[in-house]
Amino acid sequence: MIYPVKVKKKPKIIIVGAGIGGLSFAYKYKGIAEIVVYEKNSPDKLGFPWYDSVKADAFSDTKIPLPTDGVSGRKKIDMFSPGGAGHLPQREKTVKMGYEIDRVSLIKHLLQLAGEKATIVYGREVTGLIKQSGKVVGVIFKDGSKEECDLVLDACGPFSCLRKFVCDNEQDYMPLPEDILYCKRGMYRIKEGVKVNPGNEVYIKHMGGSAISWCRHTPEGKYLDVFISSLGKPLTEEYLTQAMDDIRMRNGALSEEVIVRLERLSLRYPLSQMVYDGYAAVGDSAYATNPVSGCGIDSAMRAGSILAETINTAKNFSVASLWDYQSRFMRSVGSTLIALDVIKRWLDTADPADIDWLFGSVIGEEIVTFLNSDNALKNFNPKMFLDKIPVAFDRKDLLSEAFRVFSSAGAAKAFAMLIPPVYNKKAVLSWRKKYDSFVRK
């Protein structure tokens, strides 16, 4: 008698969204699972039409090849305080530690790398998750159809609709109002025959606003990259006009020819739990953006790479097996991001006059470089601030508050590093409660 041979079903991983974290994962994954990427947009709609900064070691550490197009050296920036009392440059040594990368070129590059191992489907929007006995077992599409899988990798971005199906804390479903940065970013062609301001300028609490603006040169030299933002509240036409008028006054080479895009960004610390049974969030979907710069390329690449390394050796897709990804990511990246979030929230609420005074009397080039560094908390040296005590003696209240905030940031980073190395529900819940308390009072 001939008995039929049972063929073990090949596991399937569905990546929702052609984001940097998900594509990095697909490239780094070495297992046998079938990988399908579902992206709601068409290929020509992917990526933002501008350059962003990325640390050089993001590529060397993850072993993801550097794109051959759209890459240049990082540009030095000058920071201006709210009232113009302070103008401070960034040190050259920090500038040399990274790249300026065209985001459209980067996405095309990652799509090509991921396409060697994954099937990429465009125009297919995922709006929900299928769950059985608390485990994610598939996805639901906008048209109501369903598809089962063994793991869903959420790479939908900061406003992912999938988190609400797994997160047990409603504050994690979507960014809270105070976490949202509303911004307008445009590439303005440079006028011919007009002298161009050579600086790359960042304006803190620009024109009495709540966030920053900037005007930077694009690497190819054809455009000026203008960014105007508001934290927690949508941009008004009145404020946009005032901010743009000021930037035009400082940069007479700005033409009217522009590529404009309005966006919302999430500036908050990483999720306290990024993995559940059958589910993992990476990059912006895990809120793993830099809360100061707003850029998440570096974090997303590292998250995708770490998750792939975890799954390459995991026995299954349970929360216990996936937890190693979260533990490693939190120690290497997330702990610094929550510390920076603590500092950012203080700066967001600080009186502009206090920031002016700090720029004019306390903050020097070394501290500006520190605040703009990707390894800020890792390289924190209290001597930078202690050396300023004689100058700041007449503002002891402000100095004391700044010291308290930086101490709290250090404590947040240290505690985040204490994340349980293996998954134990009781230990994880206890850690999560304390971790969230550094920001959510």
Side-chain angles (χ1 to χ4, degrees):
M1 180 179 289
I2 299 175
Y3 294 95
V5 178
K6 290 185 178 181
V7 179
K8 189 175 181 179
K9 184 182 176 182
K10 196 176 185 180
K12 176 184 279 190
I13 299 173
I14 289 179
I15 301 175
V16 184
I20 291 170
L23 297 176
S24 297
F25 166 84
Y27 172 70
K28 295 285 293 183
Y29 177 67
K30 300 184 184 301
I32 64 169
E34 174 190 1
I35 301 177
V36 182
V37 180
Y38 287 113
E39 167 56 47
K40 67 179 181 179
N41 294 309
S42 57
D44 61 311
K45 299 292 185 182
L46 298 180
F48 299 122
W50 54 64
Y51 286 76
D52 273 325
S53 298
V54 184
K55 287 173 59 181
D57 60 9
F59 292 94
S60 58
D61 288 352
T62 61
K63 295 181 173 55
I64 295 174
L66 184 70
T68 55
D69 297 321
V71 180
S72 67
R74 181 182 282 184
K75 295 291 190 296
K76 188 176 180 181
I77 64 170
D78 298 321
M79 296 183 69
F80 291 83
S81 65
H87 162 221
L88 296 167
Q90 185 181 24
R91 281 188 174 179
E92 199 67 42
K93 66 178 183 180
T94 300
V95 178
K96 292 179 179 178
M97 293 167 58
Y99 304 107
E100 295 286 333
I101 292 188
D102 172 37
R103 295 191 71 123
V104 173
S105 297
L106 176 60
I107 287 292
K108 287 181 179 179
H109 173 66
L110 291 174
L111 283 169
Q112 183 176 8
L113 294 176
E116 298 172 3
K117 302 177 182 179
T119 300
I120 303 174
V121 180
Y122 299 101
R124 196 88 163 102
E125 184 175 357
V126 173
T127 56
L129 299 175
I130 306 170
K131 295 181 71 176
Q132 290 180 3
S133 302
K135 179 182 178 181
V136 175
V137 295
V139 298
I140 304 170
F141 295 98
K142 188 176 181 179
D143 62 8
S145 60
K146 300 178 181 181
E147 184 172 334
E148 293 184 351
C149 64
D150 299 276
L151 175 69
V152 173
L153 197 158
D154 185 352
C156 294
F159 299 93
S160 169
C161 64
L162 304 183
R163 283 189 300 263
K164 66 182 179 181
F165 292 91
V166 292
C167 291
D168 51 16
N169 184 345
E170 289 188 12
Q171 290 190 338
D172 291 336
Y173 290 179
M174 283 289 169
L176 299 182
E178 63 264 29
D179 301 330
I180 299 174
L181 186 73
Y182 296 87
C183 48
K184 175 183 178 180
R185 192 167 183 178
M187 303 295 114
Y188 288 78
R189 187 174 290 278
I190 296 173
K191 290 180 181 178
E192 293 184 9
V194 178
K195 185 177 179 180
V196 181
N197 183 338
N200 292 289
E201 300 176 346
V202 176
Y203 316 112
I204 298 173
K205 290 185 179 283
H206 187 213
M207 302 298 291
S210 57
I212 65 170
S213 299
W214 72 53
C215 184
R216 309 188 306 178
H217 295 260
T218 56
E220 81 284 351
K222 295 180 180 179
Y223 294 91
L224 287 172
D225 173 4
V226 175
F227 178 88
I228 301 172
S229 63
S230 171
L231 186 65
K233 296 180 180 180
L235 288 160
T236 65
E237 286 300 322
E238 181 182 10
Y239 177 70
L240 281 170
T241 300
Q242 292 175 347
M244 197 66 221
D245 286 347
D246 183 69
I247 291 173
R248 284 191 181 281
M249 182 184 70
R250 297 169 184 262
N251 302 273
L254 281 173
S255 72
E256 297 295 333
E257 187 178 348
V258 60
I259 304 169
V260 175
R261 189 157 178 168
L262 291 166
E263 293 295 336
R264 293 183 303 161
L265 304 176
S266 172
L267 300 185
R268 62 152 279 177
Y269 65 103
L271 282 171
S272 61
Q273 184 159 344
M274 305 173 185
V275 295
Y276 295 85
D277 290 329
Y279 170 93
V282 294
D284 290 357
S285 292
Y287 298 132
T289 51
N290 184 312
V292 174
S293 69
C295 183
I297 295 175
D298 179 277
S299 299
M301 288 175 59
R302 294 179 190 277
S305 180
I306 294 171
L307 180 59
E309 291 168 2
T310 297
I311 293 178
N312 286 340
T313 58
K315 295 180 180 179
N316 52 50
F317 301 116
S318 67
V319 63
S321 293
L322 298 173
W323 186 255
D324 182 64
Y325 149 63
Q326 168 145 358
S327 178
R328 289 177 56 195
F329 180 81
M330 188 59 66
R331 289 191 176 94
S332 61
V333 180
S335 57
T336 295
L337 297 183
I338 189 173
L340 290 174
D341 194 352
V342 171
I343 297 171
K344 176 194 73 74
R345 288 172 192 270
W346 173 61
L347 291 173
D348 291 341
T349 58
D351 189 321
D354 288 342
I355 296 178
D356 267 332
W357 184 85
L358 287 169
F359 263 68
S361 305
V362 179
I363 299 177
E365 181 180 349
E366 183 178 16
I367 294 177
V368 168
T369 300
F370 160 75
L371 290 172
N372 280 281
S373 170
D374 294 301
N375 292 313
L377 267 293
K378 181 179 179 181
N379 300 324
F380 176 55
N381 179 4
K383 188 174 183 294
M384 287 188 293
F385 295 91
L386 294 175
D387 287 346
K388 304 295 181 180
I389 289 179
V391 179
F393 194 73
D394 60 335
R395 288 298 309 273
K396 290 184 290 185
D397 58 333
L398 186 55
L399 188 66
S400 175
E401 178 65 8
F403 187 80
R404 181 196 66 78
V405 170
F406 275 85
S407 296
S408 179
K413 178 178 174 65
F415 184 79
M417 297 282 285
L418 296 176
I419 182 173
V422 296
Y423 185 79
N424 174 280
K425 187 173 183 179
K426 184 177 180 181
V428 167
L429 285 173
S430 176
W431 176 85
R432 289 178 60 196
K433 184 176 180 181
K434 176 67 174 177
Y435 170 86
D436 285 324
S437 71
F438 283 99
V439 176
R440 306 294 191 206
K441 304 301 182 184

